[in-house]
Amino acid sequence: MIIAIDGPAASGKGTIARQLAAVYGLHHLDTGLLYRAVAKAVLDAGYSPDNVEQATAAAVALDPKKFDDKALKLQAITEASSVVAAIPQVRQALMNYQREFATRPPGAVLDGRDIGTVIAPGADVKLFVVATPEVRAARRLLELKARGEEADEKEILADLLRRDERDSRRTAAPLKAAPDAHLLDTTHLGIDAAFRAALDIIEAVRAGRKRR
Ligand code: CDP
């Protein structure tokens, strides 16, 4: 089983994806970490994130086994990750790893921006998770504070909106719902309710398949 979960920044996709993977015994890949790792490598080497040559080389050299998730989640890398993610050569370099990951038995949950549209268009279930920008900013603020990062809610909101715009407008694999994705609005849902809503959608899809 392959479950594709896409949506804008801080919409809750990652939490839902982790919980679904645990319940169904599937692998989980937070594909945002790949773009964050490329951004970190480019910044660490002293280059600008829109440097196509450097970003592409970093994407080709990436080793996801060596990821330090905590360092990659730092707000300082977040903006740059959406800049490298708009570079088609970077996306191309990261494609095989994601596709192979998706087909590892017994299956996987992948979350990102283009999973249902580009990486796994044949996924068994596709969710597109959304929430209002204000709710997403409030959640991200809590997340950053819990990790001990200083953060300002207004700046976080501005970052989310800027990234959503960049991610949606780029020509290479823009952020958008696949035509067959199920929309899940988590604006008024807590973590447990959002997870249950996702589970309900997946179980309904599976039950529908069995009946056919
Ligand atoms: O956690 P958050 O939703 O804020 O971001 P993320 O999922 O870690 O993704 C960081 C950035 O990577 C996004 O703003 C996108 O530009 C890019 N990304 C992408 O282009 N495609 C994906 N499949 C996943 C992330």
Side-chain angles (χ1 to χ4, degrees), residues 1 3 15-28 109 195-196 198-200 202-203 206:
M1 174 156 74
I3 302 175
T15 307
I16 292 173
R18 253 191 316 278
Q19 290 174 315
L20 288 175
V23 161
Y24 289 113
L26 302 171
H27 304 289
H28 169 231
V109 184
F195 169 60
R196 269 197 303 273
L199 207 54
D200 285 349
I202 293 166
E203 285 305 308
R206 278 158 53 106

Side-chain angles (χ1 to χ4, degrees), residues 5-14 30-36 72-73 75 77-86 91 94 98 110-115 119 136 140 143 159-160 162-164 166-168 170 172-175:
I5 307 189
D6 293 300
S11 56
K13 349 172 258 305
D30 170 355
T31 63
L33 288 178
L34 302 172
Y35 298 93
R36 286 171 179 272
L72 294 178
K73 291 280 184 183
Q75 193 63 10
I77 296 182
T78 302
E79 168 84 11
S81 67
S82 88
V83 175
V84 300
R91 307 199 70 84
L94 300 176
Q98 295 175 80
L110 288 86
D111 70 271
R113 304 289 187 289
D114 62 338
I115 309 304
I119 300 299
R136 293 189 278 130
R140 181 51 50 95
E143 212 179 294
D159 162 73
L160 294 183
R162 214 167 34 238
R163 278 196 295 139
D164 285 355
R166 193 184 288 124
D167 292 349
S168 307
R170 68 183 178 218
L175 162 68

Side-chain angles (χ1 to χ4, degrees), residues 19-208:
Q19 290 174 315
L20 288 175
V23 161
Y24 289 113
L26 302 171
H27 304 289
H28 169 231
L29 182 63
D30 170 355
T31 63
L33 288 178
L34 302 172
Y35 298 93
R36 286 171 179 272
V38 172
K40 184 169 189 304
V42 174
L43 294 176
D44 284 353
Y47 295 99
S48 161
D50 60 4
N51 184 316
V52 173
E53 219 167 275
Q54 293 299 326
T56 306
V60 169
L62 213 64
D63 182 358
K65 283 193 284 298
K66 292 195 184 141
F67 280 0
D68 172 358
D69 293 16
K70 200 162 174 261
L72 294 178
K73 291 280 184 183
L74 289 174
Q75 193 63 10
I77 296 182
T78 302
E79 168 84 11
S81 67
S82 88
V83 175
V84 300
I87 302 172
Q89 294 92 321
V90 167
R91 307 199 70 84
Q92 184 61 39
L94 300 176
M95 180 117 68
N96 275 351
Y97 175 77
Q98 295 175 80
R99 289 199 166 148
E100 276 169 19
F101 189 98
T103 55
R104 280 182 203 170
V109 184
L110 288 86
D111 70 271
R113 304 289 187 289
D114 62 338
I115 309 304
T117 50
V118 175
I119 300 299
D124 298 276
V125 190
K126 300 177 185 177
L127 299 180
F128 195 78
V129 183
V130 298
T132 60
E134 290 72 21
V135 164
R136 293 189 278 130
R139 287 182 190 156
R140 181 51 50 95
L141 180 69
L142 287 179
E143 212 179 294
L144 293 174
K145 280 193 170 159
R147 284 204 300 265
E149 261 202 82
E150 289 287 326
D152 173 81
E153 192 158 354
K154 277 209 191 84
E155 273 172 33
I156 293 176
L157 179 61
D159 162 73
L160 294 183
L161 295 174
R162 214 167 34 238
R163 278 196 295 139
D164 285 355
E165 161 114 355
R166 193 184 288 124
D167 292 349
S168 307
R169 284 200 172 184
R170 68 183 178 218
T171 45
L175 162 68
K176 67 166 185 246
D180 53 346
H182 299 263
L183 188 71
L184 175 52
D185 186 342
T186 67
T187 301
H188 302 292
L189 304 179
I191 291 179
D192 288 347
F195 169 60
R196 269 197 303 273
L199 207 54
D200 285 349
I201 293 171
I202 293 166
E203 285 305 308
V205 171
R206 278 158 53 106

